[in-house]
Amino acid sequence: MSENLLEKISSQTMKRRTFLKWTGAVAAPAVLGGATVANKLVPSPAAAEGTAESVKVVPTCGTLNCGGKCLIKAHVKDGTITRLSTDDDPRDKNADSLKFPQIRACVRGRGYRRHVYHPDRIKTPLRRTGKRGEGKFKEISWEEAIKEIASESTRIKEKYGPASRYGIYATGQTGQIGSGDTLIQRLLACDGGFLGRYSNYSSGQHGAATPYTFGVGSASSSLDTLVDSKLIVLNGFNPAETIFGHFNVYLRLAKKAGAKIYIIDPRNTDTAVGLADDWFPIKPTTDNALIAGMAHVMFSENLQDQAFLDQYCIGHDEEHMPEGVPAGESYKSYIMGVTDGVEKTPEWAAKVTGLPAHKIKQLAREVASTKPMAWIQGNGINRHMNGEQLSRGGSLVAALTGNIGVKGGWAGPGAAGIAKYVAFPSIENPTGLSIPCFRFTDAIADGENMGTAEGVKGLEEGQTLPSNIKMIFNIAGNALINQHSDINKTIELISDESQVEFIVTTDLYMTPSAKYSDIILPTCTFFEQSDFVPPWSYGQHIIMSQKVIEPLFDSKTEYEWMTELARELGVEQQFTEGRTQDDWVKWIINETRKEQPDFPTYEQLKKTGIHKYDFEPVIAFEAQIKDLKNNPFETSSGKIELFSKDLWDMDNPEEIPAIPKHVLLEEGAEATTKGKYPLQLIGWHSKRRTHSSYDTSDWMEEVEGNIMWMNPIDADERDIKEGDLVKVFNDRGALKMPVKVTSRILPGVMAIPQGGWFTPDKDGIDTRGSINVLTTHKATALGHCNPQHTNLAQAEKA
């Protein structure tokens, strides 16, 4: 790209068609939830790209936190990406390959070019000049930035101890070596240590809960086994929009093979519209009440798989309980009203969930009588205040119906991982301390009083953290402000320079989080660096993300500038081990080939970009079900624990029950505060963003605007019409955004697509629909996790 053209792109806000004309952008139409996007993102004329001889096609991969990790083919002419194409694997020419499906880009992937060539990219290092959050910065050199970061990091380490330094949860780059989140922890480990973290915002509750049922965190089969399912129930799961590990490919194949697909969700999602045979709308947080009503039908009509329960489970009835628990505490006793005097009939469940009793009975009978049946817990249920219990509830359904350890059945959330590789090596953190990632604001305000009860790992009972968080590295992330809960409260905390004394951010754009930084560094897109990119843990492929173009402006890769910082701190050799970023990509491939001789070489991956594994189906717990005596579950009982003695011993039955039952929540469906804030508010992952990435993209705005959903009944009560600007508020804050009035959402529920960039007006009211203005800082009880789908709010015409 010429200097003149680059200057124009970087300094002007262009109309989309002008930009397309200048840079030859292209994105093919995509099918989204059964509806084809209007032909607004269309191929440029062939002449705009150049002749075949002048264009080089380079396979690469997006490294943002999207589960698909799709193959992207960049068409490059004279150092400029002229257009993008995607996977065209001939092994899947009929779109029915179980092992080698085409890993094709969705509409977001096809819009990557706007991401790299957007005129609003940060172009040079910046230092804050005004108050934190004012957005006032001045340009500085890389040398100045590195020296200041090194000086502040050393000062804070020496004054407060190494555990005062924290790398915040960040997923803007998720490759093996290019992930700055991984790299900053490696660098700080070389320099004496840091406060680590564990869990995540998306599936933390699943990870915390599943071991209490199965003894391990991984409890699901490989995606190809869905083709053997006769009934698939997606519980709070919307893969058509989230592109969740290419689940859609296998759901389509399962449907083609005759499977029914049911959706349980407050929204009639794009997945439901495109794939489902039936939609079962229920109120948020009430999934376990639905399951209880279904269990009552099963127990009353003797539909449960009693032989499976008696042989493989504990806690389902009074005859199969752990020692030391009083009578009347089994799951069946809870369902039949022995425990609390309330029978969990379908009629009881209907009042709680909003789903008619006859639909609960229908679902119960079909789930119990159709085998194999896959009940799949999505991350939608996981982000609730009771997400751990909802996660356990889905596994309970699988046990009640005997659908564990069989092909086409399903045991727990997610799917089995197929991709095997040697990972980029980490360096042990000398402090040995880590906190739940969602509780970083607690560690800023009161870390010195946080101990094991608050989820801190690495402490003895009675000990607390040695320091509050005093320095934050926010590396390609937006959770410092935008993606964390209660934005107004978080801003108040982050703005106080006596709390966090220094904040470093790297990013492509001036995000809401970047505005609250002391130093901002311009980073690179995946097109501008090499990396090795596995999909989310259940992926069936690996992609080498090749460098396609030279870094734009004055940007550096995370590895490049951290190497400079390591040199300034005197730990360069330990940090790099003498390798460049590309050397590490080769190292991973070579080390992987030592264990897998048929794994492609570096040169082969440069040509193909992708390796798809030839694998045998993985059936979760098949060994245990075939031979429990020699392959017990890794629980204390050696069985599937529908009643957990470990949870019972925590002695917190209202928040952490020993069985997966319906619990009352402060902002749940039955909350007593509903007089003031009568509507439940949930978020969803829209097709136009990956978390908060692409919110700046005008192309993605054409795909889908930032619009709240509301049922016509609720809208009529408030004199709200389609397209009106609506104010949504609670005690934590307020936002304004346009509304879609639709029967595709349950009455009493509002839904806002998560990830909109916090954009307050002069009164502090958000104007971009940033849902975390309204969400709570309070973490979940068991896993100390993200509760951002459990909220009460009110709405009125703005």
Side-chain angles (χ1 to χ4, degrees):
M1 180 176 291
S2 70
E3 290 293 330
N4 289 337
L5 180 54
L6 188 60
E7 183 178 350
K8 288 180 181 179
I9 292 176
S10 65
S11 63
Q12 296 184 31
T13 301
M14 295 171 292
K15 292 183 179 180
R16 172 181 166 272
R17 294 191 182 278
T18 303
F19 189 94
L20 290 173
K21 181 179 178 181
W22 278 2
T23 60
V26 60
V31 174
L32 303 170
T36 303
V37 177
N39 191 23
K40 294 181 178 180
L41 306 181
V42 296
S44 300
E49 184 183 354
T51 65
E53 291 76 15
S54 65
V55 176
K56 182 180 180 181
V57 180
V58 184
T60 187
C61 174
T63 57
L64 286 87
N65 186 26
C66 174
K69 294 295 187 293
C70 304
L71 181 64
I72 302 292
K73 295 183 178 181
H75 297 239
V76 184
K77 182 178 185 294
D78 297 331
T80 300
I81 304 168
T82 59
R83 73 180 184 93
L84 302 177
S85 57
T86 188
D87 194 4
D88 55 0
D89 192 333
R91 292 174 295 183
D92 191 30
K93 62 182 179 180
N94 296 319
D96 59 0
S97 174
L98 286 177
K99 292 185 179 181
F100 308 112
Q102 292 182 355
I103 310 302
R104 299 184 64 79
C106 70
V107 68
R108 296 191 295 262
R110 294 176 183 272
Y112 274 144
R113 289 212 329 74
R114 186 57 162 162
H115 200 53
V116 65
Y117 289 128
H118 199 288
D120 291 343
R121 277 186 63 170
I122 298 170
K123 301 168 184 67
T124 188
L126 303 170
R127 177 192 289 132
R128 175 171 63 87
T129 58
K131 294 180 180 180
R132 216 179 257 167
E134 273 191 306
K136 295 181 179 179
F137 296 90
K138 71 174 183 178
E139 295 183 1
I140 58 174
S141 69
W142 273 101
E143 182 180 8
E144 290 176 283
I146 294 298
K147 286 187 178 296
E148 186 168 347
I149 294 168
S151 174
E152 286 297 296
S153 182
T154 300
R155 177 186 68 82
I156 289 169
K157 178 183 69 171
E158 292 177 350
K159 183 175 181 179
Y160 300 105
S164 64
R165 303 182 300 181
Y166 183 69
I168 201 169
Y169 180 64
T171 61
Q173 305 237 33
T174 59
Q176 281 288 292
I177 309 101
S179 171
D181 181 38
T182 300
L183 288 173
I184 195 61
Q185 294 183 53
R186 179 181 175 88
L187 175 55
L188 293 175
C190 295
D191 187 46
F194 59 101
L195 177 62
R197 63 164 207 270
Y198 64 92
S199 190
N200 61 66
Y201 282 28
S202 296
S203 60
Q205 284 96 316
H206 287 321
T210 303
Y212 288 99
T213 302
F214 297 111
V216 294
S218 177
S220 291
S221 303
S222 53
L223 294 174
D224 61 305
T225 63
L226 290 174
V227 179
D228 292 277
S229 304
K230 302 302 181 187
L231 173 62
I232 300 170
V233 181
L234 305 181
N235 184 193
F237 191 26
N238 181 24
E241 293 182 84
T242 58
I243 315 300
F244 205 89
H246 297 280
F247 251 95
N248 283 342
V249 172
Y250 293 96
L251 291 173
R252 288 196 299 268
L253 291 175
K255 196 169 182 66
K256 184 178 179 180
K260 285 185 177 181
I261 298 177
Y262 291 163
I263 302 285
I264 299 172
D265 200 295
R267 294 174 57 243
N268 192 2
T269 64
D270 282 9
T271 304
V273 171
L275 292 171
D277 295 278
D278 206 348
W279 170 42
F280 295 82
I282 64 172
K283 297 176 184 177
T285 75
T286 67
D287 305 72
N288 279 359
L290 167 65
I291 291 169
M294 293 170 59
H296 191 280
V297 174
M298 294 181 196
F299 287 136
S300 299
E301 300 179 10
N302 199 29
L303 299 177
Q304 76 277 15
D305 191 331
Q306 193 66 43
F308 181 93
L309 291 167
D310 291 348
Q311 184 173 356
Y312 299 106
C313 302
I314 190 168
H316 51 286
D317 59 27
E318 294 299 317
E319 289 71 44
H320 300 84
M321 288 289 288
E323 294 182 6
V325 178
E329 296 291 342
S330 69
Y331 186 71
K332 185 174 183 178
S333 292
Y334 163 71
I335 295 301
M336 305 313 291
V338 175
T339 305
D340 56 9
V342 179
E343 272 196 79
K344 311 308 180 296
T345 63
E347 289 72 25
W348 168 88
K351 293 178 181 179
V352 177
T353 65
L355 187 68
H358 75 273
K359 293 291 288 184
I360 297 173
K361 294 174 184 178
Q362 171 206 334
L363 186 60
R365 290 165 183 155
E366 287 196 59
V367 163
S369 61
T370 308
K371 289 190 177 182
M373 182 278 303
W375 184 290
I376 302 177
Q377 305 102 299
N379 284 353
I381 64 169
N382 178 88
R383 288 184 172 217
H384 280 295
M385 187 64 77
N386 59 341
E388 294 97 343
Q389 300 310 316
L390 302 185
S391 180
R392 293 190 72 225
S395 296
L396 180 142
V397 173
L400 287 175
T401 59
N403 279 292
I404 297 174
V406 297
K407 194 175 184 183
W410 214 257
I418 301 298
K420 308 296 181 185
Y421 58 95
V422 176
F424 179 55
S426 60
I427 296 176
E428 185 177 356
N429 180 10
T431 72
L433 299 172
S434 61
I435 61 172
C437 65
F438 185 74
R439 301 202 66 168
F440 83 92
T441 47
D442 296 328
I444 292 172
D446 198 29
E448 290 178 327
N449 289 313
M450 286 179 65
T452 55
E454 288 73 40
V456 180
K457 293 184 178 180
L459 294 175
E460 299 293 332
E461 195 69 35
Q463 292 181 326
T464 58
L465 289 174
S467 171
N468 294 352
I469 292 174
K470 291 296 182 179
M471 182 176 189
I472 290 177
F473 287 90
N474 177 40
I475 311 300
N478 203 6
L480 181 69
I481 298 294
N482 205 79
Q483 297 304 98
H484 194 59
S485 290
D486 198 344
I487 285 176
N488 290 314
K489 183 177 180 180
T490 302
I491 285 175
E492 182 180 351
L493 185 64
I494 295 296
S495 298
D496 184 352
E497 295 176 45
S498 69
Q499 297 276 3
V500 183
E501 296 183 5
F502 202 70
I503 300 173
V504 179
T505 287
T506 68
D507 215 307
L508 299 172
Y509 300 103
M510 186 62 74
T511 66
S513 294
K515 289 179 181 178
Y516 286 84
S517 306
D518 300 298
I519 293 286
I520 302 175
L521 305 176
T523 190
C524 295
T525 66
F526 65 88
F527 288 120
E528 299 158 90
Q529 60 186 306
S530 297
D531 210 340
F532 186 84
V533 186
W536 287 349
S537 58
Y538 34 81
Q540 300 169 188
H541 63 280
I542 289 281
I543 298 181
M544 189 171 81
S545 181
Q546 290 188 74
K547 182 178 179 179
V548 175
I549 58 173
E550 292 300 316
L552 299 179
F553 314 112
D554 195 17
S555 62
K556 292 181 185 290
T557 69
E558 313 292 9
Y559 191 86
E560 185 179 3
W561 76 259
M562 284 191 209
T563 297
E564 295 179 8
L565 179 58
R567 185 180 306 127
E568 188 72 22
L569 294 170
V571 295
E572 180 183 0
Q573 179 58 35
Q574 186 181 358
F575 176 70
T576 67
E577 298 183 28
R579 295 185 177 94
T580 65
Q581 184 165 340
D582 201 50
D583 288 338
W584 277 115
V585 174
K586 294 175 182 177
W587 182 90
I588 288 175
I589 292 170
N590 291 335
E591 292 299 308
T592 300
R593 280 177 53 78
K594 291 177 182 179
E595 299 180 5
Q596 303 173 46
D598 60 343
F599 193 84
T601 65
Y602 174 80
E603 292 301 324
Q604 288 172 326
L605 281 172
K606 284 191 70 172
K607 295 178 181 178
T608 64
I610 190 168
H611 173 61
K612 300 176 184 179
Y613 290 81
D614 188 355
F615 62 94
E616 294 300 318
V618 175
I619 302 171
F621 307 121
E622 183 180 32
Q624 285 83 353
I625 301 308
K626 286 184 175 179
D627 185 358
L628 184 63
K629 181 178 179 181
N630 292 308
N631 299 286
F633 288 88
E634 295 181 36
T635 57
S636 56
S637 66
K639 294 187 175 185
I640 301 168
E641 296 194 348
L642 305 181
F643 180 104
S644 169
K645 182 64 161 54
D646 291 335
L647 295 180
W648 172 267
D649 290 340
M650 292 181 186
D651 196 25
N652 184 10
E654 296 304 314
E655 292 185 299
I656 309 176
I659 55 174
K661 67 180 184 180
H662 176 63
V663 296
L664 300 180
L665 301 171
E666 291 178 14
E667 299 190 49
E670 302 155 303
T672 56
T673 57
K674 287 188 69 171
K676 185 176 182 182
Y677 299 118
L679 298 174
Q680 287 184 278
L681 173 66
I682 61 173
W684 88 86
H685 285 58
S686 74
K687 65 178 73 71
R688 58 82 44 85
R689 279 191 295 262
T690 300
H691 301 294
S692 70
S693 296
Y694 309 122
D695 197 44
T696 57
S697 175
D698 46 353
W699 291 5
M700 293 303 105
E701 196 76 13
E702 291 186 17
V703 170
E704 182 178 61
N706 211 48
I707 301 174
M708 182 186 80
W709 285 22
M710 174 181 278
N711 186 274
I713 294 173
D714 301 316
D716 288 346
E717 290 177 356
R718 293 161 176 81
D719 193 29
I720 290 172
K721 303 293 189 297
E722 174 82 14
D724 280 350
L725 190 67
V726 174
K727 179 181 178 182
V728 186
F729 59 95
N730 58 22
D731 289 339
R732 292 182 284 269
L735 59 82
K736 294 179 181 177
M737 66 189 308
V739 66
K740 177 183 178 68
V741 178
T742 174
S743 57
R744 287 179 61 187
I745 190 167
L746 196 67
V749 182
M750 299 181 291
I752 293 175
Q754 69 94 25
W757 284 15
F758 176 62
T759 309
D761 63 15
K762 60 181 178 60
D763 298 317
I765 298 175
D766 175 62
T767 60
R768 184 57 187 159
S770 185
I771 190 173
N772 285 322
V773 170
L774 306 168
T775 59
T776 177
H777 263 189
K778 182 180 178 182
T780 63
L782 178 60
H784 308 278
C785 295
N786 172 12
Q788 289 171 345
H789 284 349
T790 303
N791 316 282
L792 292 179
Q794 179 60 289
E796 61 186 28
K797 185 181 293 188

